[in-house]
Amino acid sequence: MKKLPVEMTSPNLPVVDLSRAYTDRDTMAKCVVAGLENEGFLFIDNVPDLDYDGLFKACKWFFDKPMEFKRTVMRNFWNPENKNVYRGYFPVNEGEPSRKEGFEFARDVPENDPEVAANNWFYEKSPWPEEDGTFPFKQFLQESYEILHKAALEILRLTALGLGIAEDSFESMFADKPCTTFRIMHYPPWAGEPPASARLEDGRVIITPEHTDTNFLTLLTRFHYGGLELQTADGQWVEVDPRPGSLVMNIGDTFSRMMGGRLKATKHRVLSIGEDRYAVPFFFTPRYNGDIGINFMSKATGQGPEHKTERYGPWVLDVIKNEKKYFEYRVLPDIEPRDDENKTNTES
């Protein structure tokens, strides 16, 4: 790994300081690309206006509520009285090695948008719980979404600069109706004996099995909690040191595939720490019709193997349907947005 004039953390992860994004732009750009070409994870410091204490309060405000409260925004699979199938709350699924509950939302798309099929899960209207006046849950999380959206776009500009292409090369994919999911999560400790599928060979217990993310780019708030491990190039599992006040960043299969594997979607997992754990992932994702086809660099530079246009929505729905690696999506009804209703404004 090329040595960079930036702070490094265990396990050899670079730290991208967004406060230096304009004063030392080339260094930060090289730092992003080097991190994604090597371990595939890095830290993001000094995200403007991001309130980590507020994010923790949002987690506690929601997850400390009784189940009857959470049922008001629970997905249809667990509460047939509700219409939401993709956004909203999902509970702990007992017996799963993935021990978590979560609430997630997205930007709402204007009603009657002619580009959106009625059964397009990604553009489903997000449900929100009734508030009690103790915390501005909806307003705070929606404002945090926009802060993280801006930070993710800035990271992509740095990535493009580090790759030697125009800084705005990725932006059109997210300019209108991104499918991004913003999720708050609670990992309760195991009650009783964990299932055999949650126990590693050395006896340790997982709360999230090994996986790569499917989306484009993930910005994770993990507060002060440990337990996150990534798999290095030689197959070893190493813990990512906690770094309160920073985001952990990694990319998903969508971005790695576009770049022909040059940028790495790295396997990671979460181990049980024996106590309640909270995390807030921002799954930055293109619009439904965003072009995520292979050989992106050929598209950006006009040179190299032929770029093949492919829309994000149909591709990722096929992945969700066939891989079934996340229990919260395995329960989705067996429908897909009709292809002929989503052909407008496809990016080329």
Side-chain angles (χ1 to χ4, degrees):
M1 182 178 193
K2 182 185 291 185
K3 186 176 181 180
L4 290 170
V6 295
E7 179 184 352
M8 304 293 287
T9 66
S10 178
N12 206 33
L13 302 184
V15 178
V16 177
D17 185 347
L18 288 189
S19 70
R20 295 172 57 188
Y22 288 95
T23 60
D24 199 359
R25 198 161 184 76
D26 286 344
T27 298
M28 291 298 99
K30 291 175 182 177
C31 181
V32 172
V33 172
L36 295 179
E37 287 181 332
N38 289 277
E39 299 298 351
F41 270 71
L42 30 74
F43 284 102
I44 308 295
D45 278 8
N46 294 317
V47 176
D49 302 318
L50 186 60
D51 182 354
Y52 292 98
D53 290 339
L55 290 173
F56 189 77
K57 289 177 183 177
C59 290
K60 293 289 290 180
W61 182 88
F62 182 83
F63 293 118
D64 284 354
K65 295 287 193 295
M67 184 56 69
E68 57 263 31
F69 175 87
K70 299 173 190 174
R71 279 183 60 83
T72 62
V73 289
M74 188 178 279
R75 291 183 187 170
N76 172 267
F77 179 85
W78 291 282
N79 183 0
E81 296 178 2
N82 293 339
K83 295 181 180 180
N84 50 299
V85 300
Y86 190 75
R87 306 297 181 187
Y89 172 72
F90 62 86
V92 173
N93 195 4
E94 297 295 343
E96 282 276 350
S98 184
R99 186 166 177 78
K100 63 189 178 186
E101 59 176 339
F103 171 82
E104 60 187 36
F105 69 98
R107 276 184 186 167
D108 284 340
V109 174
E111 293 184 12
N112 303 317
D113 188 308
E115 188 180 344
V116 180
N119 60 346
N120 184 331
W121 301 322
F122 299 109
Y123 294 143
E124 175 182 84
K125 185 177 178 62
S126 299
W128 290 94
E130 184 176 348
E131 297 183 20
D132 57 10
T134 61
F135 183 79
F137 186 72
K138 179 179 179 180
Q139 177 183 345
F140 176 80
L141 287 182
Q142 287 182 326
E143 290 175 352
S144 298
Y145 175 110
E146 298 305 327
I147 289 168
L148 288 165
H149 178 85
K150 291 178 182 177
L153 286 177
E154 178 59 13
I155 291 166
L156 287 185
R157 294 184 196 107
L158 291 171
T159 304
L161 179 63
L163 291 169
I165 58 179
E167 285 193 29
D168 63 354
S169 294
F170 298 107
E171 292 194 32
S172 64
M173 300 168 61
F174 305 90
D176 181 41
K177 294 188 285 292
C179 296
T180 297
T181 292
F182 194 13
R183 177 187 290 182
I184 60 172
M185 297 175 65
H186 171 222
Y187 303 83
W190 288 103
E193 184 67 18
S197 58
R199 196 169 292 280
L200 301 174
E201 292 182 0
D202 61 8
R204 293 181 299 167
V205 175
I206 58 173
I207 52 177
T208 301
E210 66 177 75
H211 65 284
T212 55
D213 291 351
T214 301
N215 62 300
F216 196 90
L217 180 157
T218 301
L219 296 175
L220 174 68
T221 301
R222 58 191 292 235
F223 307 112
H224 61 280
Y225 298 106
L228 175 64
E229 292 190 337
L230 63 82
Q231 189 174 46
T232 59
D234 61 2
Q236 300 298 309
W237 287 97
V238 294
E239 183 169 7
V240 178
D241 290 343
R243 188 180 173 87
S246 294
L247 298 174
V248 179
M249 174 190 154
N250 65 285
I251 64 168
D253 300 329
T254 303
F255 197 3
S256 181
R257 178 175 175 268
M258 286 173 56
M259 302 301 297
R262 175 180 174 180
L263 306 185
K264 297 180 179 179
T266 301
K267 285 186 178 181
H268 51 286
R269 66 189 183 187
V270 183
L271 301 186
S272 173
I273 59 173
E275 61 181 83
D276 290 284
R277 184 180 187 274
Y278 300 89
V280 181
F282 181 78
F283 298 117
F284 191 56
T285 310
R287 56 176 293 172
Y288 184 90
N289 283 328
D291 178 12
I292 50 96
I294 61 173
N295 299 328
F296 176 85
M297 289 297 287
S298 299
K299 175 182 178 180
T301 64
Q303 300 176 349
E306 180 185 1
H307 169 72
K308 298 181 180 179
T309 300
E310 187 168 16
R311 293 182 300 147
Y312 172 74
W315 176 80
V316 77
L317 284 172
D318 188 61
V319 170
I320 291 172
K321 179 179 179 181
N322 292 317
E323 292 192 3
K324 298 184 182 296
K325 60 182 178 179
Y326 309 110
F327 84 80
E328 62 269 32
Y329 296 133
R330 289 203 298 266
V331 300
L332 288 170
D334 191 20
I335 58 172
E336 296 182 3
R338 294 192 300 275
D339 194 66
D340 61 349
E341 292 184 35
N342 287 281
K343 288 183 178 178
T344 60
N345 298 326
T346 301
E347 296 170 32
S348 58

